[in-house]
Amino acid sequence: MADSSPVQARPGAPGPELSAVLFHRRPPRPRVVVKADLLPAVSLLSLIGVLGIPLGWLWSLLAPPERVRVFDGGQLVPLQLESWHRFDDLAIYALLGLGLGVVTGVAVWMLRERRGPVVLIAAVLGGLLAAWLGVQMGVAFANSAYAVTTTPAVGDVIERAPRIESLWVLVAQPLGTALVYGLLAGWNGRDDLGRRLG
């Protein structure tokens, strides 16, 4: 008479689940998705670029003007310690740009289905565009806020509008975006950066 009991595995032999794990090949590494991410990346670049307008407006409100005295020939000489505001204007814009870059990097990372180098490049280029647009608009806003409406007389003290004298401040916002996004990608540790929701 045949034995109808189920086949018993040998002691110490791996079960079917473990065998499948042990002898299966690893799934292929995910590849960089370019075509599907291209249109969202362009949209993201333009959206981040537009953030330069409120950035410039906020800078024009926070940046201090430089008080100068009018001398013969229309020469403008800063009052004592007022020339330091030239550095203040740069520092305020750099800090605002860096802060916006950090917020942008975190926000872009939250787009889980689009994580990857294509979106990162778009976010960095968008940050560069926003920084440039912020400088242009911020100086324009400041010039309109501190416009001199009458011809000043010799000896008058007037306020010169804040200005940005170095374009190195354009680096702060894209740098903040790239650093935060890179740190989050390194912290994630998955091959696909968690793009698959399953």
Side-chain angles (χ1 to χ4, degrees):
M1 183 171 182
D3 187 10
S4 60
S5 64
V7 177
Q8 296 288 328
R10 291 178 306 163
E17 294 85 12
L18 186 58
S19 296
V21 171
L22 289 177
F23 299 115
H24 260 75
R25 292 178 39 214
R26 294 185 71 176
R29 290 185 154 232
R31 296 180 180 259
V32 175
V33 180
V34 176
K35 192 173 182 182
D37 287 350
L38 201 54
L39 184 60
V42 171
S43 301
L44 190 66
L45 188 150
S46 59
L47 177 65
I48 294 172
V50 172
L51 294 176
I53 297 173
L55 176 67
W57 176 75
L58 183 61
W59 173 81
S60 70
L61 295 178
L62 296 176
E66 182 181 11
R67 298 190 328 145
V68 295
R69 187 177 300 278
V70 180
F71 283 93
D72 289 332
Q75 184 181 9
L76 302 176
V77 177
L79 299 180
Q80 188 175 14
L81 303 180
E82 285 290 318
S83 61
W84 290 3
H85 289 319
R86 295 166 59 194
F87 172 76
D88 297 339
D89 298 339
L90 283 172
I92 289 171
Y93 191 85
L95 290 174
L96 287 174
L98 188 63
L100 183 58
V102 167
V103 171
T104 302
V106 171
V108 170
W109 178 257
M110 293 299 178
L111 302 173
R112 184 171 183 165
E113 300 85 12
R114 299 294 176 203
R115 289 178 184 169
V118 176
V119 170
L120 171 62
I121 291 170
V124 169
L125 292 177
L128 188 61
L129 175 64
W132 177 81
L133 187 61
V135 167
Q136 303 302 315
M137 296 303 295
V139 170
F141 288 138
N143 286 338
S144 65
Y146 294 99
V148 179
T149 55
T150 60
T151 304
V154 174
D156 284 352
V157 175
I158 61 173
E159 290 183 333
R160 182 187 287 174
R163 58 195 189 277
I164 294 177
E165 298 179 354
S166 173
L167 293 181
W168 282 105
V169 293
L170 299 182
V171 177
Q173 185 174 346
L175 180 65
T177 300
L179 284 176
V180 168
Y181 199 91
L183 286 172
L184 290 171
W187 173 71
N188 180 269
R190 296 184 182 179
D191 288 342
D192 66 343
L193 298 179
R195 282 178 70 117
R196 290 194 298 268
L197 299 178

